[in-house]
Amino acid sequence: MNTLGNLGRAAGIALTLLPAAPAMAATCGNDASGFERWLGEFRREAAGAGISASALRALDGVTYSTQVIGLDRNQKHFSVPFEQFVANRVTKGRIAKGKQMLKQYAGPLAGIEQRFGVPGPILVAIWGMETDFGANSGKMPVFRSLATLAYDCRRTEFFTGQLLDALRIVQRGDLSIGQMRGAWAGELGQTQFMPSSYVKYAVDFSGDGHADLISNPVDVLASTANYLKAYGWQRGGDYHQGGANFQALLGWNKAVNNARAIGLFADKLSQ
């Protein structure tokens, strides 16, 4: 997993997505002392918001994470030249692996493009840049991360919405509680969806009854295409800077260098 890329993406999502939560009365805090009380209040309010008792079992044993708070407080945002940015992201190894994935998933990718209008090289480029094609999706317990950040006073409303939507993912049967592991800010799956994006855009393209972005690459690729379509992707449009689809790539990640890198990666996969 590209740590800086994921930190930047989580920050970008936090700034651009509307909170998915109703007004919640649970009191936030800036250390662990009030976490247990907050969690009890949150449970009651989540139940009132329609979260089932079985889904709320995901919060059993959840504790406050000083590690997550440390990561949240120490995000580093800086600009580097594009050539430096892509050096460790669009590598020969990833290009070779990406071309292999294009062949392996040629059939599903054709169906995905037919339905959503997003070509395979773009989707495979995102997949490679986000998690090395699913190899590094993150192993941190999502409910611990999201509960910590929802309790924390810095971005309570946003992460309360994310925590509620993480519970909805379990409630609707897409993932089990045990499968809910990801990056430090709660990003899930092989292209790193925040829970609210998962609820909005994840699709069961494989037809097995579950939108599984953890272990089903077909669902991962289709859901990523659905996300881009929701952000204005135009079938057949140019995805380079200044093109019709560049803004959709910025909807995926607001960093211009990242959007440019996806386009470059896609170009190399098409060669």
Side-chain angles (χ1 to χ4, degrees), residues 23-29 34-35 37-45 150-151 153 156 160:
M24 306 289 273
T27 304
C28 68
F35 181 76
R37 182 178 68 254
W38 173 89
L39 190 62
E41 294 172 355
F42 174 84
R43 278 180 177 272
R44 289 189 290 275
E45 293 170 354
Y151 162 71
C153 291
T156 300
T160 297

Side-chain angles (χ1 to χ4, degrees), residues 135-225:
N136 298 297
S137 298
K139 297 180 179 179
M140 295 184 71
V142 162
F143 287 106
R144 186 183 190 200
S145 293
L146 292 176
T148 296
L149 292 167
Y151 162 71
D152 183 60
C153 291
R154 195 164 88 85
R155 288 182 287 174
T156 300
E157 188 175 11
F158 173 77
F159 280 106
T160 297
Q162 298 301 325
L163 180 55
L164 282 168
D165 277 336
L167 291 166
R168 290 183 180 110
I169 291 168
V170 171
Q171 182 165 300
R172 73 185 191 181
D174 287 335
L175 299 174
S176 68
I177 293 171
Q179 288 178 301
M180 297 287 284
R181 290 181 172 270
W184 71 265
E187 305 99 317
L188 280 162
Q190 297 188 28
T191 53
Q192 301 285 272
F193 276 36
M194 292 298 289
S196 292
S197 295
Y198 201 119
V199 169
K200 291 177 184 175
Y201 306 125
V203 294
D204 170 26
F205 201 79
S206 64
D208 65 358
H210 306 283
D212 177 4
L213 306 192
I214 299 289
S215 58
N216 189 326
V218 173
D219 287 357
V220 168
L221 295 165
S223 300
T224 305

